[in-house]
Amino acid sequence: MEDARRSSANQADQALARLGYKGELPRHLSMLSVLGLSFAIMAVPFGLSTTLYITLTNGQAVTVLYGWILVSLISLCIAASLAEICAVFPTAGGVYYWSAQVSSPRWAPLVSFVDGWLTLVGNWTVTLSINFSGAQLILSAISIFNDDFVANEWQTVLCFWAVMLVCAAVNAFGSRYLDLINKVCIFWTAASVLIIIVTLLVTADRRRSAEFVFSHYDPSASGWPSGFSFFIGLLQAGYTLTGYGMVAAMCEEVQNPEREVPRAIVLSVVAAGVTGVLYLIPILFVLPDVAMLLDVANSQPIGLLFKTVTGSAAGGFGLLFLILGILMFAGIGALTAASRCTYAFARDGAIPGYKLWRHVNTRLDMPLWALGLSTAVDCLLGCIYFGSSAAFNSFTGVATICLSTSYGVPVLVNLVRRRKAVRNSPYPLGRFGVLINVICVVWICFAVVIFCMPYSLPIDASTMNYASVVFAGFATIAVVWYFVYARHNFTGPPVTREDILVSTASMGEESQAPSKEQSKA
């Protein structure tokens, strides 16, 4: 068995070398582990719980349920588009590397540089939004037992920093156990969803009608026009169903990545979509008074919902504890992907101070400095909360915008160039490829606009959605760095010749058939 694994890892490193890189990270992750990581980053029950106030403000039941189903189907198209490209270019650079490969040699450096910064900021801000909302959720647990408790800015930011440091410590000193952590996440999430929905349905004193669950629409709390409010509410599903593409950063830690990672990307979206439906429908049936939930001080009503439905503070906290467990898996997984993305981008000299961030700590088997940079950037961005009580909405918006746009760049370029780069993909979309790619690009263009909007009107300085401001800030850094250094020194990732791509794709197909030694093992 060990010899078979070593042989598989050697083949993967040889394929990576043909794509222009030397394997520096141990290949100890399985497909189930990558699936668990993707599932952890999306963290469906946690993501839906922490953003519930957005859909309750913008339409309630119809937006909650049908918004989720709509975005799940669109996300499946995006995931399939990324999986097709990932199967040809399985490297830690992910969409940044793919953008260079599907572009012409002339435009590859600029396109990959832009997409790399989108990916990097998206990875950082997804991690930020997960852990920041987690900090708010932790503090909301106190209000379950003390109705008068309202966390101030310092308490929230300090709690957020503590969550970030715990996630960083696990990543730094427990990197060898990430495979186990990611697998446990799948079972914890499944068990949590089952326990929560059964408990809520059994203990609820009153239930909503099926008519309410499947057809009630009330956007009056949003201030937006009735029809447009539904689209603003899609931020809940759009934010939750975003992180699946981040796991491409783990390609260099997986055996047979050209097969296992694309499969994990697609399966994680399918699993997330089904999990979301199973979680949301029971919650809608037992949903308490919406006005009461929207009146919660820190916009995290899920703890109050659990307490009200179960009729017990202890019962409410018990269910919230399950969600907080999912938070830790999500925070750890998102920071893992963010650190690998930082490492891969720095490896090609695209970040100021890249010589430090690309270093791999051989004792810990992980890019420690890249982890430190990701953690520090997120901790600094968390300070935005001191000036805006709607900071979390801004974090979710910019994370969704950056990651979605970064996914769209290689898909759009590949589409414009008539999908030549994926002609020999081990994970082909076939005759539906063009249609799936078009759906992907159109949705992303639409999402960029609506996710910059505040989730309710009227607005002031404290309730404004600052997603566009954060996005513009990082864009300024990227533009300045490009003209100061990258324009003359950055050549992008190594662009691979077509004959090598065919060879690599063929190797991927061969690796799907087990050798005699592997069969015996």
Side-chain angles (χ1 to χ4, degrees), residues 20-38:
Y21 295 111
K22 175 186 176 183
E24 296 183 279
L25 300 171
R27 295 185 180 273
H28 54 74
L29 300 181
S30 63
M31 192 281 287
L32 184 62
S33 178
V34 178
L35 174 62
L37 177 62
S38 182

Side-chain angles (χ1 to χ4, degrees), residues 314-334:
F317 177 77
L319 297 184
L320 186 63
F321 178 80
L322 297 174
I323 300 293
L324 293 177
I326 297 174
L327 152 69
M328 295 313 301
F329 287 114
I332 292 167

Side-chain angles (χ1 to χ4, degrees), residues 303-465:
L304 177 60
L305 186 153
F306 288 158
K307 176 184 176 180
T308 304
V309 175
T310 60
S312 162
F317 177 77
L319 297 184
L320 186 63
F321 178 80
L322 297 174
I323 300 293
L324 293 177
I326 297 174
L327 152 69
M328 295 313 301
F329 287 114
I332 292 167
L335 191 54
T336 301
S339 64
R340 301 312 191 267
C341 173
T342 305
Y343 154 75
F345 202 34
R347 184 170 58 181
D348 290 319
I351 308 175
Y354 63 90
K355 291 182 179 179
L356 181 62
W357 316 127
R358 71 185 182 186
H359 179 68
V360 174
N361 187 300
T362 54
R363 186 170 64 87
L364 298 175
D365 285 336
M366 52 85 62
L368 185 61
W369 285 104
L371 173 67
L373 176 62
S374 302
T375 305
V377 168
D378 282 350
C379 287
L380 288 173
L381 286 175
C383 295
I384 293 175
Y385 190 68
F386 289 121
S388 171
S389 60
F392 172 61
N393 191 40
S394 301
F395 299 153
T396 58
V398 74
T400 308
I401 291 168
C402 286
L403 277 186
S404 297
T405 309
S406 73
Y407 298 163
V409 170
V411 176
L412 176 61
V413 175
N414 185 42
L415 195 59
V416 170
R417 302 198 73 205
R418 300 184 179 181
R419 296 170 41 82
K420 290 187 291 186
V422 295
R423 193 171 295 158
N424 299 296
S425 174
Y427 199 98
L429 296 182
R431 59 181 178 177
F432 298 106
V434 173
L435 175 61
I436 292 172
N437 289 168
V438 169
I439 293 173
C440 166
V441 173
V442 170
W443 162 254
I444 289 171
C445 292
F446 179 65
V448 168
V449 176
I450 62 172
F451 294 159
C452 283
M453 303 292 183
Y455 71 90
S456 64
L457 299 175
I459 58 170
D460 54 32
S462 64
T463 58
M464 175 63 184
N465 184 347

